[in-house]
Amino acid sequence: QVQLVESGGGLVQPGGSLRLSCAASGSAFIINAMGWYRQASGKERELVATITRGGTTNYVYYVDSVKGRFTISRDNAKNTLYLQMNSLQPEDTAVYFCNAKYGAAYQSWGQGTQVTVSS
């Protein structure tokens, strides 16, 4: 079992930055891939970015709408996932969720953290 706790959300003006964190506990060493999803009000949850462990290399993926603005990273020593978000826009407003995939087909979700971009 893996437990995830997000933090770092808040209110920011357009063009501003935020860094989200996701602390993993439990059997964090078995995590294969982690990612960030978001769900705006009235919309379906969508994938934002993922980072997958591949030997000595981490493979990252970004949805087109955040490429060049968001950066996903992972500190294995701290069992923590990050999402650095720059040049935030109102359309980035959503609840952001951390996700971890492990084992054959298991996954865990965090409780979510609200990000609001507004002037």
Side-chain angles (χ1 to χ4, degrees), residues 5 9 25 43-44 51 55 57-58 61 63 69 84-85 91 116 118:
V5 178
S25 60
K43 295 188 178 181
E44 294 185 354
I51 184 165
T57 302
N58 286 324
Y61 164 84
V63 69
R69 301 189 298 123
Q84 178 66 43
M85 305 185 294
E91 53 265 34
T116 302
S118 176

Side-chain angles (χ1 to χ4, degrees), residues 10-18 87-90 116-119:
L11 173 64
V12 64
Q13 292 186 342
S17 298
L18 283 175
S87 301
L88 284 162
Q89 300 301 317
T116 302
V117 185
S118 176
S119 56

Side-chain angles (χ1 to χ4, degrees), residues 20-88:
L20 305 183
S21 299
C22 172
S25 60
S27 302
F29 63 93
I30 63 174
I31 295 175
N32 300 318
M34 299 188 77
W36 290 97
Y37 291 70
R38 66 186 179 186
Q39 187 167 16
S41 180
K43 295 188 178 181
E44 294 185 354
R45 189 173 298 187
E46 66 167 350
L47 174 65
V48 175
T50 61
I51 184 165
T52 303
R53 184 182 300 175
T56 58
T57 302
N58 286 324
Y59 299 96
V60 298
Y61 164 84
Y62 299 97
V63 69
D64 286 346
S65 60
V66 307
K67 283 181 180 177
R69 301 189 298 123
F70 290 12
T71 302
I72 188 171
S73 62
R74 179 177 174 180
D75 186 331
N76 291 324
K78 296 182 178 179
N79 290 327
T80 301
L81 178 73
Y82 301 100
L83 185 68
Q84 178 66 43
M85 305 185 294
N86 298 327
S87 301
L88 284 162

